Amino acid sequence: MIWVTWRQHRAQILVTAAFLALLGLLLLGSAVEASRYLAEHAPPGCPGPAVACGEVAVALGQRYDTVYSVFGWMPLVAPALIGAFWGAPLLGREYERGTHRLAWTQAVSVRRWLAVKLAVLGGAVVAGGLLLSLMVSLWRPVFRAGVDTAFGNVGVFNMVGVAPAAWWLYAFALGTAAGTLFRRTLPAMALVVAGVAATMFTLVQVSDHYAEPARTELSGTVVLEDPDVRLVGSAWVEPTGREVGEPSDTGCARRVDVGQSSRNAEAWQACLFGKGYRFAVYYHPASRFWHFQWTEAGILTVAAAALGGLAVHRTLRRPG
């Protein structure tokens, strides 16, 4: 059965392997070239708070804007493609072509056929997601050191750690279940794309609740010194200790002049701090990275197991 699985799905396996290989070459080439660029243009002490370091970081971002754009869509597109081209055809194509009537009447039982297919292809999907995570984890520090982290940036968060493997497995299981639901490949593909997008949007909204946010009060600034955090929310704290979203009747003028909005905002904030106001920030520290990774991976894995079980149940109940 393993050989049969390879023969039937080698196109998806080879295309995905080629994609990861090309992506790896792109990342390696850009990382090597970027390292040389930084060695030639970055002054000593970078990355750091110096203005010159920021200018070099901006120039590097503009130089590799195309590469950044590719990775901006990757957290959503990669799982959707896995679900559409690995999961949806697994059973949907068998039903659509009627080949299941022949495949499931041979010496191999339907139960064993499903077990081998799901195990081999699911394992390959997880391995591919982990390989992608490894490549991105090795590549990002060259570009983003001192700028942002894999925790505060939700898009990057889904490209490192165990998240890619969990997302790929979930999308594969969703596609498999969709194939048994529609018994057609194209509708199953459409459901996968919509389902992955909806699931990602939902988890982004609820991820702040994976743990109780930490709280700190700032005086003199509204920006946390530590950039390696995931911001949840903020509020102004009145001298009485009451939190408000927007202070009113403070005596501090807040003007919005064209070209000077940033300076006016800073003056307004300084006035509030001078009157005893404080700025409360709710956030998740970077130390919770793996807690969030394993929590989200657990949610997706349980969902994948449920979808896989649904696909098996529908297939065994009505194999013809």
Side-chain angles (χ1 to χ4, degrees):
M1 270 302 299
I2 294 178
W3 173 249
V4 172
T5 301
W6 157 253
R7 292 277 296 180
Q8 290 182 331
H9 300 277
R10 58 187 174 184
Q12 295 102 310
I13 296 173
L14 292 175
V15 169
T16 303
F19 167 76
L20 290 174
L22 290 174
L23 184 61
L25 291 175
L26 172 64
L27 296 182
L28 178 61
S30 62
V32 170
E33 203 278 336
S35 298
R36 293 177 179 175
Y37 179 86
L38 290 174
E40 296 174 358
H41 296 85
C46 292
V51 175
C53 295
E55 293 175 349
V56 171
V58 171
L60 191 65
Q62 295 175 346
R63 191 180 184 88
Y64 288 95
D65 182 66
T66 302
V67 179
Y68 292 155
S69 297
V70 170
F71 275 87
W73 288 98
M74 193 69 70
L76 174 62
V77 172
L81 291 177
I82 289 296
F85 292 98
W86 283 62
L90 178 59
L91 291 169
R93 185 169 54 191
E94 295 282 352
Y95 284 121
E96 194 171 33
R97 296 178 177 179
T99 52
H100 66 289
R101 295 187 179 91
L102 174 63
W104 297 346
T105 55
Q106 306 301 308
V108 179
S109 65
V110 179
R111 193 178 300 273
R112 183 184 173 190
W113 188 94
L114 285 171
V116 173
K117 288 263 190 174
L118 292 176
V120 172
L121 297 179
V125 162
V126 170
L130 292 176
L131 179 58
L132 175 64
S133 169
L134 177 61
M135 292 191 299
V136 174
S137 298
L138 295 175
W139 173 80
R140 283 195 74 257
V142 177
F143 298 87
R144 310 305 293 173
V147 180
D148 64 11
T149 68
F151 185 53
N153 188 323
V154 178
V156 177
F157 178 81
N158 288 327
M159 291 286 288
V160 296
V162 296
W167 274 107
W168 285 28
L169 180 63
Y170 167 75
F172 170 71
L174 177 60
T176 303
T180 65
L181 176 64
F182 292 108
R183 297 199 168 198
R184 295 290 186 274
T185 304
L186 288 179
M189 288 180 170
L191 179 62
V192 168
V193 174
V196 169
T199 303
M200 185 163 292
F201 175 80
T202 302
L203 290 185
V204 168
Q205 299 302 312
V206 305
S207 62
D208 288 339
H209 302 286
Y210 291 168
E212 185 70 22
R215 181 182 184 277
T216 188
E217 290 188 0
L218 305 175
S219 298
T221 181
V222 296
V223 180
L224 285 173
E225 293 182 0
D226 186 1
D228 303 342
V229 301
R230 179 179 293 192
L231 296 176
V232 177
S234 61
W236 284 97
V237 182
E238 295 179 337
T240 60
R242 185 171 68 97
E243 289 190 3
V244 295
E246 186 77 14
S248 60
D249 300 328
T250 62
C252 297
R254 187 174 189 180
R255 303 185 317 175
V256 180
D257 296 337
V258 177
Q260 298 188 22
S261 58
S262 177
R263 183 178 300 179
N264 291 334
E266 292 174 359
W268 178 71
Q269 294 164 6
C271 179
L272 289 176
F273 288 129
K275 291 181 177 295
Y277 281 80
R278 301 178 303 280
F279 193 71
V281 179
Y282 294 86
Y283 66 97
H284 293 293
S287 58
R288 296 179 181 176
F289 172 82
W290 283 110
H291 171 74
F292 275 55
Q293 279 276 321
W294 288 114
T295 300
E296 187 155 303
I299 294 172
L300 292 170
T301 301
V302 170
L307 290 168
L310 175 63
V312 171
H313 173 72
R314 287 182 59 84
T315 302
L316 295 179
R317 186 188 66 176
R318 193 174 57 170

